[in-house]
C-alpha cells in the first residue's frame, strides 16, 4: 500500500472519529437538558399547588373590608359634634399634649402668675380642663367622687372647694343640705368664683370643711394651706387628695401641715395613684415667714410629664 493511500485512510478515520465525537456531544447535551427539565418538574411537584382565586369574589371581599375600615374611621359620632372617630382620636391627642404643657406651667408658677395667665386668656383654662377630663377617663377612680361620698351623709356643713375645676362637689352637694363655695383660677360656670387661691374671698373661721382635690398646684402651695387655715373654723376638717408621686416623704409632709396648724386624723394610701390626708385644724396659723414657706413648699414636687 503506497503512502498516498495510507494518508487518505488516516484522514477518513479522523473524520469518522470527529463525526462520532459530535454525535456523542449532542447526546450529552440532550441528556443534560432532559435532566434539568426533570429536576424542574420535581421541584414544581414539591411546591404546594396554588389555587387560582376567583378574581371577582376576591375583589368583592377586598372592597367589602376596605369599606368597613373606612366606615370605622369616618363613622360620625353624634356625641362629639358630628366628628368621626379618627377626628376625635386626633383631637384627644392634641388636647392631651396641650394639657401637659399647661399642667407643667401651673405646677412651676406661683398662684398669682397662674391666675393672671388664665384671666388674660380664659381659653387656656378651657384647654386645660379638656385635657384633664381626658385624663380622668383613664383613672380607676376620681378623688372628687370619693370626697363627695365622704361628705354627703353629714349634717349641714359649709364647704370650701379650693381649686374646684368644674365644681362637681357643689353640683352634687350644694343645698342638699350643705353650702359649698367653689374657687378656681377661672369661673367656667355660675358656681365658681375666680380668684388666686392664696386670697380667697371668705371670712375668717367661716368654713367647716376645706378641700384640695389635686389642687395644690404652684410653687407657693403652702400659701394655699395657710389661707385654708384662715377661713376654717377651729376643729374644722381639711381634706387633701394628692398624686402619690408628688409626696417625697409622707411623714415630712404631715409635719409640714402640722406647722400650718393641722393635725392628721387619717391617711388613705390604698389607691395606687392618689393619697388622701384627712386633718383637723388645731390652731391659727399666721406666723410662717417667707423663707420658711419656701422651705416647706419643697415637701411636694411638681407634677411634670415625661417628654415623648
Amino acid at each position: 500500500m503506497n503512502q498516498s493511500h495510507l494518508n487518505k485512510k488516516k484522514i477518513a478515520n479522523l473524520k469518522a472519529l470527529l463525526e462520532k465525537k459530535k454525535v456523542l456531544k449532542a447526546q450529552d447535551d440532550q441528556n443534560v437538558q432532559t435532566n434539568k427539565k426533570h429536576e424542574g418538574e420535581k421541584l414544581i411537584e414539591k411546591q404546594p399547588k396554588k389555587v387560582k382565586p376567583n378574581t371577582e369574589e376576591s375583589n368583592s371581599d377586598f372592597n367589602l373590608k376596605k369599606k368597613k375600615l373606612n366606615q370605622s374611621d369616618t363613622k360620625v359620632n353624634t356625641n362629639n359634634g358630628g366628628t368621626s372617630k379618627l377626628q376625635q382620636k386626633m383631637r384627644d391627642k392634641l388636647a392631651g399634649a396641650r394639657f401637659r404643657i399647661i399642667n407643667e406651667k401651673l405646677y412651676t408658677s406661683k398662684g398669682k402668675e397662674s391666675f393672671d395667665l388664665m384671666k388674660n386668656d380664659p381659653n387656656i383654662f378651657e384647654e386645660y380642663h379638656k385635657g384633664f377630663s381626658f385624663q380622668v377617663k383613664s383613672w380607676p377612680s376620681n378623688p372628687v367622687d370619693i370626697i363627695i361620698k365622704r361628705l354627703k351623709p353629714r349634717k349641714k356643713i359649709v364647704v370650701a372647694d379650693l381649686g374646684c375645676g368644674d365644681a362637681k362637689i357643689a353640683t352634687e352637694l350644694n343645698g342638699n343640705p350643705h353650702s359649698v363655695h367653689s374657687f378656681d383660677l377661672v369661673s367656667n360656670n355660675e358656681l365658681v368664683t375666680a380668684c388666686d387661691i392664696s386670697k380667697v374671698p371668705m371670712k375668717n373661721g367661716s368654713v367647716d370643711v376645706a378641700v384640695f382635690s389635686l389642687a395644690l398646684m404652684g410653687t407657693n402651695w403652702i400659701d394655699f394651706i395657710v389661707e385654708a387655715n384662715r377661713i376654717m373654723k377651729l376643729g374644722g376638717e381639711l381634706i387633701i387628695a394628692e398624686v402619690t408621686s408628688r409626696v417625697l416623704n409622707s411623714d415630712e409632709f404631715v409635719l409640714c401641715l402640722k406647722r400650718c396648724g393641722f393635725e392628721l386624723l387619717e391617711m388613705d394610701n390604698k389607691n395606687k395613684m392618689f393619697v388622701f390626708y384627712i386633718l383637723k385644724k388645731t390652731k391659727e396659723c399666721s406666723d410662717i415667714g417667707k423663707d420658711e414657706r419656701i422651705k416647706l413648699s419643697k415637701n411636694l414636687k411638681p407634677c411634670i410629664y415625661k417628654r415623648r
Side-chain angles (χ1 to χ4, degrees):
M1 186 177 295
N2 58 29
Q3 187 66 34
S4 178
H5 181 72
L6 288 172
N7 288 338
K8 287 181 180 180
K9 190 175 182 179
K10 284 182 179 180
I11 291 171
N13 289 338
L14 182 59
K15 286 182 178 180
L17 184 62
L18 291 172
E19 191 65 31
K20 186 176 181 180
K21 194 172 182 180
K22 285 182 180 179
V23 173
L24 291 174
K25 186 177 184 302
Q27 289 177 348
D28 288 341
D29 290 343
Q30 186 175 0
N31 290 336
V32 169
Q33 293 296 328
T34 303
N35 290 337
K36 285 184 177 179
K37 182 178 180 182
H38 289 165
E39 289 175 359
E41 290 174 349
K42 288 180 180 179
L43 184 62
I44 291 172
E45 287 176 0
K46 289 181 180 180
Q47 293 179 346
K49 293 183 179 180
K50 294 182 179 180
V51 180
K52 187 177 181 180
N54 185 318
T55 305
E56 184 178 348
E57 183 178 348
S58 178
N59 289 340
S60 177
D61 291 343
F62 174 76
N63 291 333
L64 182 61
K65 289 179 180 179
K66 184 178 180 181
K67 185 177 180 181
K68 287 182 177 179
L69 182 62
N70 290 337
Q71 286 177 342
S72 176
D73 283 342
T74 59
K75 186 177 180 180
V76 173
N77 189 337
T78 55
N79 293 327
N80 289 300
T83 60
S84 69
K85 287 184 178 180
L86 182 60
Q87 288 173 320
Q88 188 60 40
K89 185 177 180 181
M90 293 299 294
R91 288 183 180 182
D92 288 343
K93 284 187 176 181
L94 288 172
R98 289 192 291 265
F99 166 76
R100 287 189 289 273
I101 294 170
I102 300 170
N103 187 72
E104 182 172 333
K105 178 66 177 175
L106 296 178
Y107 274 106
T108 56
S109 302
K110 288 186 175 181
K112 178 65 166 58
E113 294 171 357
S114 297
F115 176 61
D116 290 340
L117 178 68
M118 298 294 185
K119 187 177 180 179
N120 293 331
D121 189 356
N123 289 329
I124 295 177
F125 183 84
E126 185 179 349
E127 290 289 344
Y128 174 78
H129 277 281
K130 279 183 181 179
F132 183 79
S133 299
F134 182 72
Q135 295 287 320
V136 170
K137 293 176 183 178
S138 64
W139 294 350
S141 59
N142 188 340
V144 169
D145 294 330
I146 296 172
I147 293 170
I148 290 172
K149 187 177 180 179
R150 179 183 179 88
L151 297 179
K152 196 169 187 177
R154 298 190 183 180
K155 295 179 180 181
K156 186 176 182 179
I157 53 176
V158 177
V159 180
D161 187 3
L162 306 169
C164 64
D166 57 2
K168 189 174 183 180
I169 294 177
T171 302
E172 294 286 331
L173 301 181
N174 208 13
N176 189 30
H178 312 308
S179 175
V180 182
H181 301 268
S182 306
F183 304 94
D184 213 320
L185 298 173
V186 171
S187 175
N188 59 351
N189 63 55
E190 67 281 359
L191 296 173
V192 183
T193 300
C195 70
D196 173 4
I197 305 301
S198 66
K199 296 178 181 179
V200 178
M202 293 194 74
K203 294 180 180 179
N204 293 354
S206 58
V207 172
D208 297 298
V209 179
V211 175
F212 289 101
S213 180
L214 310 182
L216 293 178
M217 306 174 74
T219 56
N220 65 323
W221 61 267
I222 280 292
D223 295 342
F224 306 163
I225 298 292
V226 172
E227 181 69 350
N229 180 287
R230 179 189 70 79
I231 64 174
M232 289 175 64
K233 298 175 182 178
L234 193 63
E237 183 175 284
L238 174 65
I239 301 175
I240 297 174
E242 194 49 77
V243 178
T244 303
S245 60
R246 288 196 69 201
V247 184
L248 299 172
N249 184 305
S250 191
D251 292 337
E252 290 294 328
F253 182 59
V254 170
L255 287 175
C256 167
L257 297 173
K258 185 176 182 179
R259 176 67 183 92
C260 295
F262 296 96
E263 177 185 329
L264 181 68
L265 298 177
E266 60 179 284
M267 182 182 73
D268 183 357
N269 58 359
K270 297 175 184 176
N271 192 300
K272 292 181 179 181
M273 294 182 67
F274 313 109
V275 57
F276 290 85
Y277 295 90
I278 312 300
L279 306 107
K280 179 177 72 172
K281 176 180 173 179
T282 56
K283 64 179 182 179
E284 302 297 332
C285 174
S286 58
D287 61 339
I288 304 178
K290 181 178 178 181
D291 291 340
E292 187 178 1
R293 292 189 187 205
I294 293 173
K295 184 178 179 180
L296 291 173
S297 68
K298 294 179 180 179
N299 283 283
L300 284 181
K301 68 176 183 178
C303 188
I304 298 176
Y305 289 80
K306 294 181 180 179
R307 296 289 185 272
R308 297 183 179 181

